[in-house]
Amino acid sequence: MNSLYGTVRLVSEDALYFFFGKLLFLYITIPLTLVWLIIGYIFGIGDDVVAAISGPAYFLIAFFGIGGYKSLYPVAIGLGSTRTQFLKVFYGVSILGVVLSILFLNVLQLILKTVFLQWDIDPYILHPGVFLVNEYHFFTYLWIDLMFGLFLVGVPFLLYCINFRLGMRKSIIVLMLLSFVAMFLYYGGYLNSSMEWFLGLDLDALGMTLITLLGLCGIGALLLTYPIMRNASLKPKSRKE
């Protein structure tokens, strides 16, 4: 029980307090939002301006799946946590961190949009939602951001775990083999029907469904790391292995 509590505290403090709380928002996203507000107030930017504050969040969410695990894993094991215990805590805190950070990000975007409208400025908020919906809507943008966040935390972490267990050389070999298989299937005509089906989809109508599937893929990728890493060594395979 003590080791579990220590693991939860270790991962929570690093992820929620330092990484997502201080690094992502206090040091980057909140100052970026304030800069946009100052620019809008002083210069009266036009309606064709694209205001962007979500880029750092997307990047750091993807980075946390790798950097957070890499830095915390040996520390947690050294403090008495088991591998499976640490993985479960890491998954839970990672998903919670993504949900809270995406929620706070969208609140900042809402504040930015609301204040600009009060100043008779109607800028575009740089967001994947501009390709899926006709106008800004808080809950729609929130859902899209959440699905992207889950995808970005799950898939990069899965790729890192594969490289951790196999090493750089074997990972590259596996990647090349998969690429060759995909090329043979495509140019052999085996994927033509699937490609035609996908290109024939009404992406405007299915956009939110595809975004939701993207988020589910992220969760699935995160879960796939469990059998890969539950018996992993403390150090990754060397580059030559």
Side-chain angles (χ1 to χ4, degrees):
M1 178 63 79
N2 289 335
S3 63
L4 176 60
Y5 173 77
T7 304
V8 172
R9 181 176 178 180
L10 172 69
V11 180
S12 298
E13 288 182 354
D14 184 83
L16 302 180
Y17 173 71
F18 174 75
F19 194 89
F20 290 111
K22 295 182 68 174
L23 181 61
L24 176 56
F25 285 101
L26 184 61
Y27 297 160
I28 300 176
T29 309
I30 291 177
L32 187 60
T33 304
L34 292 175
V35 167
W36 273 113
L37 291 173
I38 293 171
I39 290 174
Y41 180 76
I42 295 177
F43 299 107
I45 54 180
D47 293 347
D48 58 342
V49 171
V50 178
I53 64 170
S54 59
Y58 287 157
F59 174 78
L60 288 176
I61 285 173
F63 177 78
F64 176 75
I66 299 172
Y69 182 89
K70 186 177 180 180
S71 62
L72 293 174
Y73 177 51
V75 177
I77 299 300
L79 293 175
S81 175
T82 65
R83 287 161 174 78
T84 57
Q85 194 177 75
F86 172 71
L87 281 170
K88 293 174 182 178
V89 172
F90 184 77
Y91 296 152
V93 173
S94 297
I95 293 175
L96 179 61
V98 169
V99 171
L100 293 178
S101 61
I102 290 299
L103 177 60
F104 191 52
L105 172 66
N106 277 266
V107 169
L108 291 177
Q109 290 180 150
L110 178 62
I111 292 173
L112 190 63
K113 185 78 172 180
T114 302
V115 173
F116 276 166
L117 288 175
Q118 292 294 320
W119 294 340
D120 295 324
I121 302 171
D122 188 16
Y124 287 104
I125 300 295
L126 185 59
H127 190 278
V130 300
F131 302 105
L132 300 172
V133 293
N134 294 327
E135 58 184 17
Y136 173 81
H137 188 272
F138 175 79
F139 290 105
T140 302
Y141 273 42
L142 175 63
W143 182 255
I144 294 171
D145 265 338
L146 181 58
M147 294 300 102
F148 266 103
L150 293 174
F151 178 82
L152 290 173
V153 77
V155 173
F157 184 52
L158 175 61
L159 297 176
Y160 168 77
C161 291
I162 293 173
N163 181 70
F164 188 97
R165 293 304 303 268
L166 296 181
M168 181 66 72
R169 185 180 65 180
K170 291 181 180 179
S171 297
I172 292 176
I173 292 173
V174 170
L175 178 62
M176 292 305 299
L177 288 175
L178 292 176
S179 300
F180 293 154
V181 170
M183 291 170 63
F184 277 108
L185 290 175
Y186 177 77
Y187 289 105
Y190 299 103
L191 297 179
N192 286 348
S193 59
S194 299
M195 291 296 295
E196 292 175 358
W197 171 80
F198 180 76
L199 293 175
L201 292 175
D202 184 357
L203 295 182
D204 291 334
L206 296 176
M208 295 303 293
T209 301
L210 294 176
I211 289 296
T212 302
L213 290 175
L214 198 69
L216 293 176
C217 286
I219 295 176
L222 202 62
L223 295 178
L224 281 175
T225 63
Y226 182 77
I228 297 174
M229 300 301 289
R230 63 180 178 180
N231 295 316
S233 61
L234 286 177
K235 294 182 178 181
K237 291 282 188 179
S238 67
R239 293 181 178 271
K240 296 182 179 180
E241 291 187 84

